[in-house]
Amino acid sequence: MRLSWFNITSLTLGFAFLYLPMIILVIYSFNESRLVTVWTGFSTKWYGELLSNQAFLDAAWVTLKVAVFSSTLATVLGTLAAYALVRGARFPGRTLFSGMIYAPLVMPEVITGLSLLLLFIGIGLDRGVLTIVLAHTTFAMCYVSVVVSSRLVSFDQSLEEAALDLGCSPWDAFRLVTLPIIAPAVISGWLLAFTLSLDDLVIASFTTGPSATTLPIKIFSAVRLGVSPEINALSTLMIAVVTLGVIIASLISKRNFVREQQGVAGRH
């Protein structure tokens, strides 16, 4: 397709709208001045200040724990749900089950957070890291299910049937044949759930307690008093972590795609 000036201008404006604010944030994270809008010189002192800020470090540790546990649990449950929906027969209640899985996709986060808060209060569960993990698992599981379902739909089921004919149990066929093939989708679902957990503010604000403050909540509370250079440094580190995760996921997907293509070429 030939690029016209209109297409080039549209792409430039679109990318500038998306990425220019982040680029400015990264640049000003190295600003020597405490005023975030006045450049006075290059300095990395705010990264040092950030590493000595115990409140931010504690919030970052809580956020990392919640993201790892919730994304892992969401990946397991979302993969099983996707397998049941794609491979399962028309079992009674399938429509209801599918609706319950995908409901968080269209449900406002305020409603999800409030309903989970009422649930935790109703069962007498103290709010903390556990409740945030359960809440993040609830809304991240549907995203994992969508990603894995799209891969299972295009999966060649004859490979699994061949494993069953050769004596594998259904569990062994899933573990040895299906899971390695859909692994890129599972990894992508985990990374998506991890990113969503890192970014969540609304649901975490409903389900957190005094002993568990996540990083988005801490940043939001600090910004209300004014943006500090430490927040710019912290945001830059978060952008770097997410970018690194996306690059790793892309490399893994590319490597698996090349391996599949080589396998297809070898069979022919």
Side-chain angles (χ1 to χ4, degrees):
M1 185 183 75
R2 187 173 62 88
L3 290 177
S4 64
W5 284 109
F6 176 77
N7 292 335
I8 294 175
T9 304
S10 300
L11 287 173
T12 303
L13 292 176
F15 281 118
F17 178 78
L18 291 174
Y19 296 108
L20 188 58
M22 288 189 288
I23 294 174
I24 294 174
L25 183 147
V26 172
I27 293 174
Y28 273 91
S29 69
F30 297 98
N31 186 15
E32 186 178 6
S33 173
R34 179 170 289 275
L35 300 176
V36 295
T37 58
V38 179
W39 180 267
T40 59
F42 181 86
S43 175
T44 59
K45 69 177 183 178
W46 300 116
Y47 288 89
E49 293 285 340
L50 175 64
L51 294 178
S52 62
N53 192 323
Q54 193 61 40
F56 275 122
L57 293 179
D58 292 341
W61 175 240
V62 171
T63 302
L64 185 61
K65 286 193 299 183
V66 169
V68 170
F69 285 120
S70 64
S71 57
T72 302
L73 187 57
T75 300
V76 174
L77 296 177
T79 301
L80 295 177
Y83 191 85
L85 290 173
V86 175
R87 294 297 179 81
R90 300 292 301 182
F91 55 87
R94 185 182 186 278
T95 302
L96 178 61
F97 178 73
S98 176
M100 293 175 64
I101 292 294
Y102 298 131
L105 283 171
V106 296
M107 190 74 67
E109 290 187 346
V110 173
I111 302 300
T112 303
L114 180 59
S115 61
L116 289 171
L117 172 62
L118 295 177
L119 172 65
F120 296 145
I121 293 176
I123 63 177
L125 185 61
D126 293 334
R127 285 176 289 166
V129 174
L130 177 59
T131 54
I132 306 176
V133 169
L134 295 177
H136 285 186
T137 302
T138 301
F139 79 86
M141 182 178 66
C142 60
Y143 292 92
V144 177
S145 181
V146 169
V147 174
V148 177
S149 294
S150 63
R151 182 64 184 92
L152 284 172
V153 169
S154 60
F155 177 75
D156 187 3
Q157 196 170 350
S158 62
L159 298 175
E160 199 174 66
E161 294 173 350
L164 294 173
D165 292 338
L166 292 174
C168 284
S169 64
W171 165 246
D172 289 334
F174 175 80
R175 179 173 57 89
L176 299 175
V177 178
T178 306
L179 189 58
I181 295 177
I182 67 172
V186 175
I187 295 173
S188 299
W190 188 92
L191 290 172
L192 179 59
F194 184 83
T195 304
L196 290 171
S197 178
L198 288 179
D199 182 63
D200 177 66
L201 170 66
V202 177
I203 295 178
S205 63
F206 279 97
T207 57
T208 189
S211 61
T213 300
T214 62
L215 201 53
I217 295 177
K218 184 65 179 178
I219 293 175
F220 181 75
S221 301
V223 167
R224 296 179 66 181
L225 301 176
V227 180
S228 68
E230 292 179 26
I231 295 179
N232 287 345
L234 178 60
S235 301
T236 300
L237 292 178
M238 293 181 68
I239 292 173
V241 170
V242 173
T243 302
L244 181 62
V246 170
I247 293 174
I248 292 174
S250 300
L251 292 176
I252 292 174
S253 299
K254 183 178 181 181
R255 186 183 65 178
N256 286 315
F257 177 77
V258 172
R259 186 180 300 172
E260 289 181 3
Q261 294 298 318
Q262 292 175 348
V264 171
R267 287 195 295 269
H268 289 291

